């Protein structure tokens, strides 16, 4: 009987790519969504902030509690890499621990029932046989590992190391292989995507990649995620805006806007440059701008919080992700005087309310507009509704559009259509299909 594997991928989509690589190595296994059926259970963990660490631990313990007898429980990824000694001692129920370097050796580790922590961080490559999950048409492409930034709140460089970029040829080969498998929409990701190639002495590597991706037959849409203010250039903003394939989508986590706070956070770009970049993005026709902000970082005065709150509201971002500050060891902010947790939570809540208001305003601007979108399938809301995503939006994080009228068009999931947005229910746009693209 063919063995079964159950994989739980936690955290960001960069982790998801690593999970898909592991599934590719375990191609002889049947993937099961049921824990107690699995012969092998893999929990690919996140170790970014406290909430993510708690979720990872809870998931590991739940997996052990619900596993069948003689199954193998594997814990991999960032949390495992960051706290390997503590986890090995604290959770002896886990059969195999591995970090962020052995994703393409997962089959070997399972066969030998052996833990491994290779010193080198795994760098995605064109030869990995990934099993793309969650979509028949969209895939994430990881450009690099590690990060050269020194943000005061982030521990990722301490266990992922310095920036290490793939070469463009490797990426183009991977995208081409996926296009040949039927994928046509791509999101290009890394810890600091706008720094891609700088370790290879090419400051314009991302622009070069954009131009080469545009030439690939079969690709219909793409976007770049995770730009960093100090390495985002006007030339890059232009390249994205002018591309016939890459969406005019700018995802730049600013984390704050106060000059003093940006210095404390060691962001490398101050208030003036950050605002100039954002305004330049905003000037591009049809642009969609996403950001992230941290509430309650050490040193944030009430005045500086209000400054950030007002800026977020007035600028009118399309999407804002709000994080409560998480005090992480091996960061420069760890030993700074901490803001009380109740104040941090209150500030995050206020920013979160603004984020919801901004999302509603952004979606309301779509009413009566005709937009290209991709139909994903039957909506969870109702069997007579279809769920779809504008090509401009990133998967999973930007929301959905519901189709309540197909105009009797033949609808195939994963295909592109032009649709007219007719109204917004709550914060969710409703649309009518016009024609297939």
């Amino acid at each position: 009987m063919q063995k079964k594997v159950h994989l739980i991928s936690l955290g960001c989509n960069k982790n998801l790519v690593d999970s898909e690589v592991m599934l590719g190595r375990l191609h002889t296994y049947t993937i099961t969504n049921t824990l107690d059926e699995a012969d092998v259970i893999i929990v690919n963990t996140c170790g970014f902030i406290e909430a993510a660490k708690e979720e990872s631990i809870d998931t590991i313990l739940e997996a052990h509690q619900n596993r069948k007898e003689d199954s193998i429980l594997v814990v991999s990824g960032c949390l495992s890499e960051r706290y390997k000694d503590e986890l090995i001692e604290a959770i002896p129920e886990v059969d195999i621990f591995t970090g962020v370097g052995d994703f393409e050796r997962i089959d070997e580790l399972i066969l030998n029932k052996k833990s491994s922590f290779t010193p080198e961080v795994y760098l995605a490559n064109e030869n990995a046989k990934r099993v793309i999950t969650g979509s028949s048409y969209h895939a994430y492409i990881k450009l690099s590992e590690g990060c050269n930034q020194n943000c005061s709140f982030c521990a990722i460089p301490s266990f992922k190391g310095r920036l290490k970029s793939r070469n463009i040829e490797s990426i183009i080969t991977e995208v081409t292989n996926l296009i040949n498998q039927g994928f046509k929409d791509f999101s290009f990701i890394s810890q600091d995507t706008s720094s891609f190639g700088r370790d290879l002495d090419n400051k314009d590597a991302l622009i070069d990649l954009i131009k080469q991706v545009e030439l690939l037959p079969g690709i219909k849409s793409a976007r770049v995620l995770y730009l960093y203010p100090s390495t985002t250039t006007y030339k890059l903003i232009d390249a994205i805006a002018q591309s016939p394939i890459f969406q005019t989508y700018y995802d730049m986590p600013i984390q704050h806007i106060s000059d003093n706070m940006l210095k404390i956070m060691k962001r490398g770009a101050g208030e003036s440059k950050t605002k100039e970049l954002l305004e330049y993005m905003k000037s591009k026709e049809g642009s969609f701008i996403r950001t992230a902000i941290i509430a309650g970082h050490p040193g944030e005065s009430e005045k500086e919080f209000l400054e950030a709150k007002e800026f977020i509201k007035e600028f009118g971002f399309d999407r804002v992700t709000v994080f409560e500050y998480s005090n992480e060891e091996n960061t420069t902010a760890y030993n700074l005087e901490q803001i009380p947790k109740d104040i941090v939570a209150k500030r995050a809540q206020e920013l979160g309310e603004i984020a919801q208001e901004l999302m509603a305003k952004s979606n309301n601007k779509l009413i009566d507009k005709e937009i290209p979108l991709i139909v994903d399938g039957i909506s969870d809301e109702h069997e007579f509704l279809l769920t779809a995503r504008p090509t401009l939006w990133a998967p999973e994080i930007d929301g959905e559009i519901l189709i309540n009228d197909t105009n009797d068009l033949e609808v195939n999931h994963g295909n592109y259509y032009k649709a007219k947005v007719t109204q917004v229910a709550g914060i969710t746009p409703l649309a009518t299909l016009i024609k297939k693209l």
Side-chain angles (χ1 to χ4, degrees):
M1 181 181 292
Q2 193 170 35
K3 290 187 176 182
K4 297 180 179 180
V5 60
H6 179 83
L7 190 147
I8 305 168
S9 191
L10 301 174
C12 65
N13 291 314
K14 297 181 288 295
N15 268 16
L16 179 62
V17 173
D18 298 329
S19 296
E20 292 171 346
V21 168
M22 287 192 283
L23 288 177
R25 296 299 300 183
L26 300 174
H27 59 91
T28 59
Y29 286 70
T30 299
I31 299 173
T32 177
N33 292 324
T34 308
L35 258 174
D36 59 11
E37 285 186 354
D39 299 288
V40 173
I41 300 165
I42 302 174
V43 181
N44 195 19
T45 60
C46 177
F48 179 43
I49 57 176
E50 192 61 35
K53 291 186 282 188
E54 290 175 1
E55 181 187 22
S56 293
I57 296 294
D58 290 344
T59 303
I60 294 166
L61 296 176
E62 182 182 354
H64 170 65
Q65 184 178 354
N66 293 289
R67 66 197 283 200
K68 72 177 185 179
E69 190 176 354
D70 296 327
S71 63
I72 296 174
L73 177 57
V74 183
V75 172
S76 63
C78 294
L79 185 77
S80 185
E81 182 73 37
R82 188 176 177 189
Y83 299 105
K84 50 180 171 279
D85 295 334
E86 295 91 332
L87 289 175
I88 290 170
E89 182 177 348
I91 316 180
E93 297 88 349
V94 173
D95 299 295
I96 299 171
F97 280 102
T98 185
V100 295
D102 291 302
F103 299 116
E104 277 203 271
R105 293 182 58 233
I106 194 66
D107 49 340
E108 174 191 332
L109 301 185
I110 291 169
L111 180 64
N112 297 317
K113 207 171 179 180
K114 179 183 177 182
S115 294
S116 175
F117 289 90
T118 298
E120 290 293 319
V121 176
Y122 173 75
L123 186 64
N125 66 82
E126 70 277 16
N127 298 314
K129 306 295 184 183
R130 288 168 59 191
V131 174
I132 308 298
T133 60
S135 179
S136 61
Y137 67 86
H138 171 268
Y140 293 97
I141 304 295
K142 188 148 50 161
L143 305 185
S144 63
E145 283 293 352
C147 184
N148 285 351
Q149 310 298 341
N150 297 298
C151 299
S152 62
F153 51 83
C154 183
I156 289 174
S158 70
F159 58 90
K160 281 259 186 162
R162 306 290 284 174
L163 177 69
K164 188 175 182 181
S165 300
R166 298 171 63 181
N167 63 60
I168 291 178
E169 292 74 19
S170 168
I171 296 164
I172 292 298
T173 301
E174 181 182 12
V175 175
T176 300
N177 291 339
L178 289 169
I179 290 172
N180 291 336
Q181 296 173 42
F183 293 90
K184 45 203 171 187
D185 181 54
F186 297 89
S187 296
F188 292 83
I189 58 175
S190 56
Q191 188 63 36
D192 172 11
T193 309
S194 50
S195 289
F196 166 66
R198 291 186 174 225
D199 56 316
L200 304 176
D201 295 324
N202 183 358
K203 291 185 178 181
D204 290 329
L206 187 53
I207 296 172
D208 294 342
L209 176 64
I210 287 170
K211 294 185 182 304
Q212 290 197 39
V213 169
E214 290 170 355
L215 300 176
L216 297 177
I219 190 169
K220 298 195 74 169
S221 52
R223 64 206 56 78
V224 175
L225 305 184
Y226 315 129
L227 304 176
Y228 195 94
S230 68
T231 53
T232 297
T233 64
Y234 296 104
K235 188 177 177 181
L236 173 59
I237 294 170
D238 285 339
I240 292 171
Q242 294 163 6
S243 174
I245 296 295
F246 282 80
Q247 305 300 295
T248 312
Y249 184 101
Y250 301 108
D251 173 24
M252 190 172 76
I254 62 171
Q255 310 303 2
H256 215 282
I257 200 60
S258 156
D259 244 338
N260 181 55
M261 285 308 303
L262 292 172
K263 287 176 183 176
I264 292 174
M265 290 178 163
K266 298 188 175 182
R267 293 290 288 167
E271 176 183 351
S272 178
K273 182 180 179 182
T274 301
K275 286 182 175 180
E276 286 174 6
L277 287 170
L278 289 170
E279 289 294 342
Y280 195 65
M281 293 171 181
K282 199 173 188 178
S283 71
K284 300 304 175 182
E285 184 178 355
S287 64
F288 185 98
I289 306 178
R290 163 178 277 280
T291 196
I293 187 165
I294 294 174
H297 187 286
E300 183 186 57
S301 66
E302 182 68 18
K303 179 181 178 182
E304 286 163 336
F305 164 68
L306 292 174
E307 182 182 348
K309 178 180 171 181
E310 188 64 23
F311 175 74
I312 292 290
K313 186 173 184 177
E314 290 301 315
F315 182 80
F317 291 95
D318 294 285
R319 299 291 187 270
V320 179
T321 298
V322 178
F323 291 100
E324 291 187 23
Y325 171 76
S326 177
N327 199 28
E328 300 295 319
E329 62 268 36
N330 298 319
T331 66
T332 56
Y334 184 69
N335 292 316
L336 297 179
E337 183 179 351
Q338 302 296 303
I339 294 172
K341 288 187 176 182
D342 59 331
I343 295 178
V344 174
K346 180 176 180 295
R347 291 178 180 179
Q349 181 180 352
E350 290 181 30
L351 291 172
E353 290 169 357
I354 292 172
Q356 285 294 104
E357 293 171 8
L358 291 173
M359 182 176 180
K361 285 182 180 179
S362 176
N363 288 353
N364 276 315
K365 292 177 183 177
L366 295 175
I367 295 175
D368 292 331
K369 289 188 177 180
E370 295 182 1
I371 60 171
L373 50 72
I374 312 166
V375 173
D376 276 316
I378 305 297
S379 170
D380 293 334
E381 297 288 328
H382 196 283
E383 61 181 320
F384 295 136
L385 296 174
L386 296 173
T387 180
R389 173 175 59 85
T391 55
L392 183 60
W393 295 3
E396 302 170 33
I397 58 174
D398 289 329
E400 65 175 346
I401 284 184
L402 296 178
I403 306 299
N404 59 0
D405 186 352
T406 63
N407 257 330
D408 294 325
L409 292 173
E410 181 183 351
V411 178
N412 294 304
H413 303 165
N415 280 356
Y416 289 64
Y417 297 84
K418 178 173 279 189
K420 183 174 182 178
V421 178
T422 55
Q423 65 183 98
V424 173
I427 59 172
T428 304
L430 302 179
T432 298
L433 296 185
I434 297 174
K435 66 178 182 179
K436 185 177 177 181
L437 297 175

